[in-house]
Amino acid sequence: MKTAFTVLLLTFLSSHAMERGRDYMREKICQEFNTLGKDHFRAGAIIASSRKYSNATLEEILNVVKDIVSLAEKCCPEGADPACYETESLALSARSCRDPAPFPKHPGIEACCREEGLERKLCLAALKHPAKEFPTYVEPTNTEVCEAFAKDPQDFQDRYLYEYSTDYSSAPLPVLAASAMSYLSMVAKCCASATPTPCFLKERLNRKSIAMLTHLSNKACAHYDLLGKDKARLSYIIKFSQKSTNASLEDIMAMATSASEVLSRTCNSTCNDTVQREFSECTNRICARLSPKDQRFADCCADADTMRAHFCIYSLPAAKTPHLPEFQKPADEDLCTEKTSEEKDRLRENYSKTLPEATEEVLSELVEQRASFASTCCPLNAPPGYCGLKSSQRLRSSAYILLDRKLVTF
């Protein structure tokens, strides 16, 4: 199962594999279909398709999966026509362009369907639904789970894989698949047990780490997909500054850069062990820097389980400081120098510590407003003090931020 969902991502559901040629795709699809068998192959297709088309209906997902499995069954047996894969995959993309099509809807399909052949397949493969804003799956009780499983095991599996994968569509595919399949394994084991309640309790504890990793990586990668690498780094500067007012700017910058780099390597990773290893190493780096300086971080890092430690750090609220540090506004001249990016980072960290209860959106807006004069006044050789004064006047008119009924001025 671990290999199947990786290959499916690289084939039907990704334009990258198509660029490597139809022979490569056919070989990979058939290798996994013949190795894993139809059932595991089909389960991997449901997970990957649901993750890609997170707003589709179950019926639409199963239509896609049915055609993928049918293509493999027809074109992968020994002695099959070498042209079978190309013919059937072109027919599959043609069915996507029918009106109405039985597959997931997407606003970009119409433009793709104006293309032909490989270009159409590449275009369709690149389409992806945005992640759900909120999870919608509510897990039934143990009794309800076993009743549904006993009534129709295949239907239960299909619905669970669809609902779980659409809810956590931003989680890295290997993590999502490992978590979903471990749940189904738990259900099959415990519903057949003479004592299902203790069995479920034990198995839920066993899968707590992978379930936690799925939740955390889904949230982090959705945030990364929305912001991009550079803005994700700035977001982490705000997060870490608010969680630990004792951290130095050097610490904040190092951890923010590390966190954004980890997400850039893991969110679209297809390697089975990459995500947990990267998250664990990132947690260890955070603990090494902040445990000696912040008791709350030290308490989280005392947990030997790095995933629990990571979740503890993630869940920390903004630090409460009885006396807010004095805000050090950077000199107007500094923002007209070559160190503009560095000064903005310093400003962002300073605002975050001074305003621990402000949202990321508010803090980012303040930083951008304060720094915006660099792109307007500096090229005109206007006195930086004049630009700074005008910037502060605009801020006063739009940024009356009340924190514990205290007015923050600029």
Side-chain angles (χ1 to χ4, degrees):
M1 190 65 230
K2 289 183 177 180
T3 313
F5 55 73
T6 301
V7 172
L8 286 165
L9 174 69
L10 293 172
T11 50
F12 286 104
L13 305 178
S14 171
S15 59
H16 299 296
M18 290 187 182
E19 292 170 351
R20 298 185 65 172
R22 62 176 180 265
D23 290 340
Y24 169 82
M25 293 173 60
R26 176 173 54 81
E27 288 173 8
K28 299 302 289 184
I29 284 286
C30 292
Q31 177 187 348
E32 299 307 331
F33 180 79
N34 292 329
T35 300
L36 295 164
K38 178 179 176 179
D39 291 342
H40 280 174
F41 184 87
R42 182 177 179 278
I46 293 176
I47 294 171
S49 300
S50 300
R51 179 180 182 269
K52 180 178 174 65
Y53 304 114
S54 57
N55 296 308
T57 66
L58 174 60
E59 182 182 6
E60 289 170 339
I61 293 298
L62 292 182
N63 284 335
V64 172
V65 171
K66 179 182 177 181
D67 278 11
I68 291 175
V69 174
S70 175
L71 182 150
E73 285 183 307
K74 185 174 181 178
C75 300
C76 293
E78 186 176 352
D81 185 348
C84 175
Y85 179 86
E86 178 69 4
T87 301
E88 293 298 317
S89 61
L90 285 173
L92 180 57
S93 64
R95 282 195 292 278
S96 300
C97 294
R98 290 178 184 171
D99 189 18
F103 303 136
K105 311 297 186 292
H106 191 287
I109 288 180
E110 185 177 347
C112 292
C113 292
R114 289 196 288 268
E115 304 290 344
E116 297 290 340
L118 178 60
E119 291 302 317
R120 176 186 286 182
K121 289 200 294 183
L122 287 169
C123 184
L124 290 171
L127 299 179
K128 189 179 189 298
H129 286 171
K132 289 182 180 178
E133 187 172 0
F134 302 105
T136 58
Y137 176 66
V138 179
E139 185 179 350
T141 65
N142 294 343
T143 300
E144 291 170 335
V145 164
C146 289
E147 287 176 351
F149 182 74
K151 182 179 179 180
D152 190 336
Q154 187 65 63
D155 181 71
F156 177 85
Q157 173 178 290
D158 291 353
R159 289 183 181 278
Y160 173 76
L161 292 178
Y162 160 75
E163 292 178 4
Y164 191 75
S165 300
T166 55
D167 267 5
Y168 292 94
S169 62
S170 293
L173 189 58
V175 173
L176 176 62
S179 183
M181 298 308 291
S182 75
Y183 179 87
L184 292 176
S185 177
M186 174 187 71
V187 170
K189 178 179 180 179
C190 294
C191 289
S193 171
T195 54
T197 299
C199 178
F200 272 113
L201 178 60
K202 179 182 177 181
E203 293 301 317
R204 288 184 197 282
L205 288 174
N206 289 339
R207 67 178 304 271
K208 186 175 181 179
S209 181
I210 186 63
M212 194 180 299
L213 179 60
T214 305
H215 173 76
L216 290 173
S217 63
N218 181 68
K219 295 279 287 186
C221 290
H223 195 60
Y224 181 84
D225 290 342
L226 178 66
L227 297 179
K229 184 176 180 179
D230 292 339
K231 288 186 177 179
R233 172 182 164 276
L234 302 181
S235 173
Y236 277 112
I237 291 177
I238 293 173
K239 282 185 171 70
F240 285 122
S241 297
Q242 289 184 322
K243 288 178 186 288
S244 179
T245 56
N246 295 328
S248 66
L249 177 61
E250 180 184 0
D251 290 331
I252 297 296
M253 296 284 288
M255 291 184 298
T257 300
S258 173
S260 60
E261 288 288 348
V262 165
L263 295 182
S264 72
R265 292 192 295 268
T266 59
C267 288
N268 292 311
S269 173
T270 59
C271 297
N272 297 317
D273 61 343
T274 296
V275 181
Q276 186 154 359
R277 185 185 72 249
E278 291 274 7
F279 269 64
S280 295
E281 291 174 355
C282 183
T283 303
N284 291 335
R285 288 192 290 269
I286 293 171
C287 289
R289 281 186 175 269
L290 290 189
S291 288
K293 302 177 182 179
D294 193 305
Q295 187 58 46
R296 297 195 309 161
F297 278 80
D299 291 342
C300 287
C301 296
D303 196 322
D305 187 314
T306 54
M307 285 314 305
R308 287 201 300 264
H310 189 100
F311 185 75
C312 178
I313 293 170
Y314 170 84
S315 303
L316 287 175
K320 302 291 184 182
T321 52
H323 302 290
L324 293 176
E326 181 180 354
F327 176 66
Q328 299 295 323
K329 185 177 73 172
D332 297 324
E333 291 82 355
D334 290 339
L335 289 172
C336 280
T337 68
E338 294 180 353
K339 297 182 179 180
T340 299
S341 177
E342 179 182 332
E343 294 301 332
K344 287 175 69 174
D345 287 342
R346 189 178 301 278
L347 185 64
R348 183 174 283 101
E349 183 243 4
N350 212 327
Y351 273 138
S352 300
K353 288 184 175 180
T354 308
L355 314 176
E357 296 180 25
T359 64
E360 284 188 39
E361 290 76 12
V362 168
L363 292 170
S364 294
E365 182 177 353
L366 294 179
V367 171
E368 291 306 319
Q369 287 190 48
R370 176 72 183 95
S372 64
F373 78 89
S375 62
T376 55
C377 286
C378 296
L380 300 176
N381 294 317
Y386 168 79
C387 297
L389 175 63
K390 293 298 183 183
S391 175
S392 295
Q393 289 174 347
R394 289 196 299 273
L395 284 173
R396 290 192 191 98
S397 67
S398 62
Y400 280 79
I401 304 175
L402 291 173
L403 297 173
D404 297 328
R405 294 299 180 183
K406 295 179 181 180
L407 179 64
V408 179
T409 58
F410 304 87

mmCIF file of all heavy atoms in Angstrom, residues 172-190:
data_model
loop_
_atom_site.group_PDB
_atom_site.id
_atom_site.type_symbol
_atom_site.label_atom_id
_atom_site.label_comp_id
_atom_site.label_asym_id
_atom_site.label_seq_id
_atom_site.Cartn_x
_atom_site.Cartn_y
_atom_site.Cartn_z
ATOM 1 N N PRO A 172 0.625 15.638 3.467
ATOM 2 C CA PRO A 172 1.435 14.888 2.490
ATOM 3 C C PRO A 172 0.811 13.519 2.230
ATOM 4 O O PRO A 172 0.320 12.858 3.160
ATOM 5 C CB PRO A 172 2.792 14.768 3.180
ATOM 6 C CG PRO A 172 2.836 15.939 4.116
ATOM 7 C CD PRO A 172 1.434 16.111 4.602
ATOM 8 N N LEU A 173 0.814 13.102 0.988
ATOM 9 C CA LEU A 173 0.117 11.876 0.598
ATOM 10 C C LEU A 173 0.550 10.637 1.374
ATOM 11 O O LEU A 173 -0.299 9.845 1.799
ATOM 12 C CB LEU A 173 0.275 11.655 -0.910
ATOM 13 C CG LEU A 173 -0.571 10.539 -1.513
ATOM 14 C CD1 LEU A 173 -2.054 10.776 -1.273
ATOM 15 C CD2 LEU A 173 -0.288 10.407 -3.001
ATOM 16 N N PRO A 174 1.853 10.402 1.607
ATOM 17 C CA PRO A 174 2.234 9.203 2.373
ATOM 18 C C PRO A 174 1.676 9.222 3.794
ATOM 19 O O PRO A 174 1.284 8.176 4.318
ATOM 20 C CB PRO A 174 3.769 9.257 2.382
ATOM 21 C CG PRO A 174 4.130 10.097 1.211
ATOM 22 C CD PRO A 174 3.043 11.124 1.102
ATOM 23 N N VAL A 175 1.634 10.395 4.419
ATOM 24 C CA VAL A 175 1.099 10.516 5.778
ATOM 25 C C VAL A 175 -0.401 10.249 5.774
ATOM 26 O O VAL A 175 -0.929 9.504 6.610
ATOM 27 C CB VAL A 175 1.386 11.922 6.354
ATOM 28 C CG1 VAL A 175 0.678 12.118 7.697
ATOM 29 C CG2 VAL A 175 2.878 12.128 6.520
ATOM 30 N N LEU A 176 -1.094 10.871 4.831
ATOM 31 C CA LEU A 176 -2.546 10.698 4.730
ATOM 32 C C LEU A 176 -2.906 9.224 4.522
ATOM 33 O O LEU A 176 -3.811 8.691 5.190
ATOM 34 C CB LEU A 176 -3.082 11.539 3.570
ATOM 35 C CG LEU A 176 -4.564 11.411 3.251
ATOM 36 C CD1 LEU A 176 -5.421 11.874 4.428
ATOM 37 C CD2 LEU A 176 -4.911 12.223 1.991
ATOM 38 N N ALA A 177 -2.229 8.578 3.605
ATOM 39 C CA ALA A 177 -2.535 7.180 3.305
ATOM 40 C C ALA A 177 -2.210 6.267 4.478
ATOM 41 O O ALA A 177 -2.981 5.361 4.810
ATOM 42 C CB ALA A 177 -1.775 6.735 2.058
ATOM 43 N N ALA A 178 -1.075 6.477 5.136
ATOM 44 C CA ALA A 178 -0.702 5.649 6.283
ATOM 45 C C ALA A 178 -1.727 5.787 7.401
ATOM 46 O O ALA A 178 -2.114 4.798 8.036
ATOM 47 C CB ALA A 178 0.687 6.041 6.786
ATOM 48 N N SER A 179 -2.194 7.005 7.637
ATOM 49 C CA SER A 179 -3.177 7.232 8.694
ATOM 50 C C SER A 179 -4.516 6.592 8.348
ATOM 51 O O SER A 179 -5.138 5.926 9.187
ATOM 52 C CB SER A 179 -3.357 8.738 8.914
ATOM 53 O OG SER A 179 -4.256 8.998 9.969
ATOM 54 N N ALA A 180 -4.977 6.778 7.112
ATOM 55 C CA ALA A 180 -6.265 6.214 6.696
ATOM 56 C C ALA A 180 -6.247 4.689 6.744
ATOM 57 O O ALA A 180 -7.198 4.058 7.240
ATOM 58 C CB ALA A 180 -6.610 6.691 5.284
ATOM 59 N N MET A 181 -5.189 4.084 6.251
ATOM 60 C CA MET A 181 -5.134 2.629 6.224
ATOM 61 C C MET A 181 -4.967 2.039 7.625
ATOM 62 O O MET A 181 -5.457 0.948 7.912
ATOM 63 C CB MET A 181 -4.004 2.162 5.310
ATOM 64 C CG MET A 181 -4.177 2.590 3.842
ATOM 65 S SD MET A 181 -5.793 2.168 3.141
ATOM 66 C CE MET A 181 -5.693 0.385 3.070
ATOM 67 N N SER A 182 -4.291 2.764 8.523
ATOM 68 C CA SER A 182 -4.161 2.263 9.901
ATOM 69 C C SER A 182 -5.519 2.285 10.595
ATOM 70 O O SER A 182 -5.811 1.417 11.438
ATOM 71 C CB SER A 182 -3.141 3.090 10.684
ATOM 72 O OG SER A 182 -3.656 4.354 11.046
ATOM 73 N N TYR A 183 -6.353 3.260 10.258
ATOM 74 C CA TYR A 183 -7.698 3.309 10.835
ATOM 75 C C TYR A 183 -8.524 2.122 10.355
ATOM 76 O O TYR A 183 -9.210 1.464 11.151
ATOM 77 C CB TYR A 183 -8.383 4.622 10.449
ATOM 78 C CG TYR A 183 -9.791 4.743 11.002
ATOM 79 C CD1 TYR A 183 -10.019 5.266 12.267
ATOM 80 C CD2 TYR A 183 -10.897 4.343 10.257
ATOM 81 C CE1 TYR A 183 -11.305 5.374 12.782
ATOM 82 C CE2 TYR A 183 -12.184 4.440 10.755
ATOM 83 C CZ TYR A 183 -12.382 4.965 12.017
ATOM 84 O OH TYR A 183 -13.657 5.059 12.525
ATOM 85 N N LEU A 184 -8.478 1.842 9.064
ATOM 86 C CA LEU A 184 -9.238 0.713 8.536
ATOM 87 C C LEU A 184 -8.745 -0.608 9.117
ATOM 88 O O LEU A 184 -9.544 -1.520 9.372
ATOM 89 C CB LEU A 184 -9.144 0.695 7.009
ATOM 90 C CG LEU A 184 -9.858 1.841 6.284
ATOM 91 C CD1 LEU A 184 -9.610 1.747 4.784
ATOM 92 C CD2 LEU A 184 -11.352 1.830 6.583
ATOM 93 N N SER A 185 -7.450 -0.713 9.332
ATOM 94 C CA SER A 185 -6.893 -1.914 9.947
ATOM 95 C C SER A 185 -7.421 -2.066 11.371
ATOM 96 O O SER A 185 -7.761 -3.185 11.814
ATOM 97 C CB SER A 185 -5.365 -1.845 9.948
ATOM 98 O OG SER A 185 -4.802 -2.959 10.593
ATOM 99 N N MET A 186 -7.507 -0.945 12.092
ATOM 100 C CA MET A 186 -8.047 -0.963 13.451
ATOM 101 C C MET A 186 -9.500 -1.423 13.462
ATOM 102 O O MET A 186 -9.902 -2.249 14.290
ATOM 103 C CB MET A 186 -7.947 0.435 14.065
ATOM 104 C CG MET A 186 -8.599 0.579 15.434
ATOM 105 S SD MET A 186 -8.633 2.288 16.028
ATOM 106 C CE MET A 186 -9.872 3.000 14.923
ATOM 107 N N VAL A 187 -10.296 -0.905 12.529
ATOM 108 C CA VAL A 187 -11.706 -1.268 12.462
ATOM 109 C C VAL A 187 -11.872 -2.759 12.184
ATOM 110 O O VAL A 187 -12.656 -3.454 12.854
ATOM 111 C CB VAL A 187 -12.431 -0.423 11.393
ATOM 112 C CG1 VAL A 187 -13.840 -0.966 11.136
ATOM 113 C CG2 VAL A 187 -12.495 1.029 11.823
ATOM 114 N N ALA A 188 -11.147 -3.275 11.210
ATOM 115 C CA ALA A 188 -11.251 -4.690 10.862
ATOM 116 C C ALA A 188 -10.859 -5.575 12.048
ATOM 117 O O ALA A 188 -11.484 -6.609 12.306
ATOM 118 C CB ALA A 188 -10.378 -5.007 9.659
ATOM 119 N N LYS A 189 -9.829 -5.166 12.779
ATOM 120 C CA LYS A 189 -9.348 -5.959 13.912
ATOM 121 C C LYS A 189 -10.321 -5.905 15.089
ATOM 122 O O LYS A 189 -10.697 -6.943 15.658
ATOM 123 C CB LYS A 189 -7.971 -5.453 14.344
ATOM 124 C CG LYS A 189 -7.407 -6.180 15.555
ATOM 125 C CD LYS A 189 -6.028 -5.629 15.901
ATOM 126 C CE LYS A 189 -5.447 -6.338 17.121
ATOM 127 N NZ LYS A 189 -4.087 -5.812 17.450
ATOM 128 N N CYS A 190 -10.757 -4.694 15.448
ATOM 129 C CA CYS A 190 -11.540 -4.531 16.668
ATOM 130 C C CYS A 190 -13.002 -4.948 16.500
ATOM 131 O O CYS A 190 -13.634 -5.405 17.457
ATOM 132 C CB CYS A 190 -11.453 -3.083 17.161
ATOM 133 S SG CYS A 190 -9.790 -2.628 17.704
#
